[in-house]
Amino acid sequence: MHSAVFLIEFGAIILGLGLLGRLAGRFHFSPIPLYLLAGLAFGTGGLLPLGASEEFVAIGAEIGVILLLLMLGLEYTASDLVSNLKTQYPAGLVDFTLNAVPGAVAALLMGWGPVAAVVLAGVTWISSSGVIAKVMGDLGRLGNRETPVILSILVLEDLAMAVYLPIVTALLAGVGLAAGSLTLAIALGVAGAVLFVAVRYGRVISRFVSSDDPEKLLLVVLGLTLLVAGVAQQLQVSAAVGAFLVGIALSGEVAEGTHTLLSPLRDLFAAVFFVFFGLHTDPASIPPVLLPALALAVVTALTKIATGYWAAKRAGVGVNGRWRAGGTLVARGEFSIVIAGLAVTAGIEPALGPLATAYVLILVVIGPLTARYTQPLGIWITGLRTPSAPPVLSAVPSPAKSPETVPDRQPAQDQDPAGRP
């Protein structure tokens, strides 16, 4: 009987996701907000709470995040990662300053204390790699010129979690300096070792994984990814970082074949992740903290846009790409919830959990909208502020322009390699 209820519930979830995705595709819109709203409707305190499939959905959601980061890592080689980190680390510092400080200040203004301030700083600082990866894929921007800049910031944030999470865990537990330092050293050592193996022995790993049989390739890559992600998480390093580095380590035909085989699985489990996020949010806990969460969301959405714009400008990307980079970085998600969950479990501040949930829900819904519309809105606003040049009078009539000189084309720096503006 339990098995039948599970199949009914999970089948209804998958069918509903398919219908919502079809509806979003008809209107050329990202389905992520619809997935989240569906989770709210059928989660804790919703219209029809689900029970039998909850544990399986939780596991599927975790796999969804891992696959999203794996597929994002497949887009770039280890040399790309190293060069981007070397050139974009100032953007990581700007990202931390502009987006972590508002969260810390907000916690202090509400009288929550320094530990809660450190926690809320992490909630507002870290963008959602899972949501952003999905949005970039939906919008067809993985080949755009600003995408390496976005990826560099996300990677810096994910790697920073290897330092940040042990610090937060130690603060919440109230452990001494020695124990906290040991946890941090282990986390940094594991992250560094995985990165070293990915950069130094990526080709060896690709040869080991390579297979002409799609079934064997799928099983080996998926098993390796889950294994590395699990070991990384067990050693206090983000599972997302481990999955991303596995994708970085794979290259050539192996990366292409893996991308083709895992794309359907990624789409399935990524959708489950967004539904799971909504399932575990009680709608009744949101109204009391909605106003402060909304204010914080507006401020940090603007600071993320500024971060992406500045980083893309520094990398030589054109104006259109700068606005796209800023708008794409707005969404918060999985890391913010994980950080807030640590504080809630430790009993630091009762209102922190609902505030973080409302904040993330706002930005995870707004994020796909800003990714799509920040560029045209930014160009329109800057166009209004730019004074028009006075007309130039000439006594000699200008010759008629040929068709070759008439088109108003995008500057070369505003286009990606595929020619998209």
Side-chain angles (χ1 to χ4, degrees):
M1 182 63 181
H2 179 78
S3 176
V5 174
F6 163 76
L7 292 175
I8 292 172
E9 285 188 0
F10 193 67
I13 291 173
I14 300 301
L15 176 60
L17 291 176
L19 296 176
L20 290 174
R22 182 181 298 179
L23 176 64
R26 178 169 297 181
F27 292 97
H28 305 286
F29 188 78
S30 174
I32 292 174
L34 299 180
Y35 295 160
L36 288 166
L37 293 176
L40 277 175
F42 296 99
T44 304
L47 300 175
L48 184 62
L50 303 177
S53 59
E54 182 177 354
E55 185 176 353
F56 185 83
V57 170
I59 297 174
E62 195 166 351
I63 294 174
V65 176
I66 291 172
L67 289 181
L68 281 170
L69 270 295
L70 170 66
M71 300 296 281
L72 193 60
L74 290 173
E75 298 291 332
Y76 300 92
T77 65
S79 59
D80 292 334
L81 173 65
V82 174
S83 62
N84 285 336
L85 292 179
K86 287 181 178 179
T87 57
Q88 293 297 331
Y89 74 89
L93 298 177
V94 171
D95 180 34
F96 170 78
T97 303
L98 291 182
N99 298 286
V101 171
V105 171
L108 294 176
L109 290 176
M110 289 184 287
W112 289 356
V115 175
V118 173
V119 173
L120 194 55
V123 172
T124 60
W125 171 24
I126 305 298
S127 297
S128 171
S129 301
V131 174
I132 291 172
K134 175 66 174 174
V135 168
M136 288 194 300
D138 290 341
L139 297 177
R141 294 181 179 176
L142 292 178
N144 283 19
R145 282 202 60 192
E146 73 274 6
T147 298
V149 176
I150 297 171
L151 176 65
S152 298
I153 294 175
L154 294 178
V155 171
L156 286 170
E157 290 180 349
D158 288 344
L159 293 177
M161 285 295 95
V163 179
Y164 175 81
L165 287 178
I167 292 176
V168 170
T169 303
L171 288 174
L172 294 174
V175 301
L177 180 62
S181 300
L182 178 61
T183 302
L184 177 60
I186 293 174
L188 290 177
V190 172
V194 174
L195 181 60
F196 174 79
V197 170
V199 173
R200 188 70 178 270
Y201 301 104
R203 293 184 178 179
V204 177
I205 296 174
S206 295
R207 286 198 297 268
F208 169 76
V209 171
S210 179
S211 174
D212 294 332
D213 188 337
E215 178 184 353
K216 295 183 178 63
L217 178 62
L218 173 64
L219 293 174
V220 171
V221 172
L222 184 59
L224 177 64
T225 303
L226 295 177
L227 177 63
V228 172
V231 171
Q233 186 162 304
Q234 186 70 23
L235 296 174
Q236 305 299 321
V237 182
S238 166
V241 173
F244 180 83
L245 293 177
V246 170
I248 289 291
L250 302 179
S251 59
E253 294 182 359
V254 173
E256 295 176 4
T258 301
H259 193 282
T260 302
L261 291 172
L262 287 180
S263 290
L265 281 178
R266 174 202 59 187
D267 295 338
L268 170 62
F269 285 106
V272 171
F273 161 70
F274 297 119
V275 170
F276 175 76
F277 186 82
L279 287 175
H280 283 70
T281 302
D282 186 356
S285 67
I286 295 178
V289 295
L290 187 57
L291 286 180
L294 182 60
L296 195 58
V298 171
V299 171
T300 53
L302 294 176
T303 54
K304 274 292 182 181
I305 292 174
T307 299
Y309 188 97
W310 182 87
K313 180 179 180 180
R314 181 177 176 274
V317 178
V319 175
N320 288 343
R322 298 172 198 172
W323 287 114
R324 287 194 297 264
T328 303
L329 287 169
V330 167
R332 300 336 191 254
E334 58 274 11
F335 273 133
S336 298
I337 294 300
V338 168
I339 295 167
L342 292 174
V344 171
T345 303
I348 295 299
E349 176 57 48
L352 181 57
L355 175 65
T357 300
Y359 170 80
V360 171
L361 278 173
I362 292 170
L363 288 184
V364 84
V365 171
I366 293 177
L369 299 177
T370 59
R372 187 179 185 93
Y373 297 113
T374 296
Q375 176 201 341
L377 183 60
I379 297 299
W380 179 72
I381 293 175
T382 55
L384 289 180
R385 296 176 59 185
T386 303
S388 58
V392 179
L393 302 178
S394 175
V396 180
S398 300
K401 293 184 178 181
S402 63
E404 289 76 13
T405 62
V406 170
D408 181 19
R409 298 186 178 182
Q410 289 281 356
Q413 61 177 356
D414 282 344
Q415 295 182 343
D416 62 54
R420 290 189 294 270

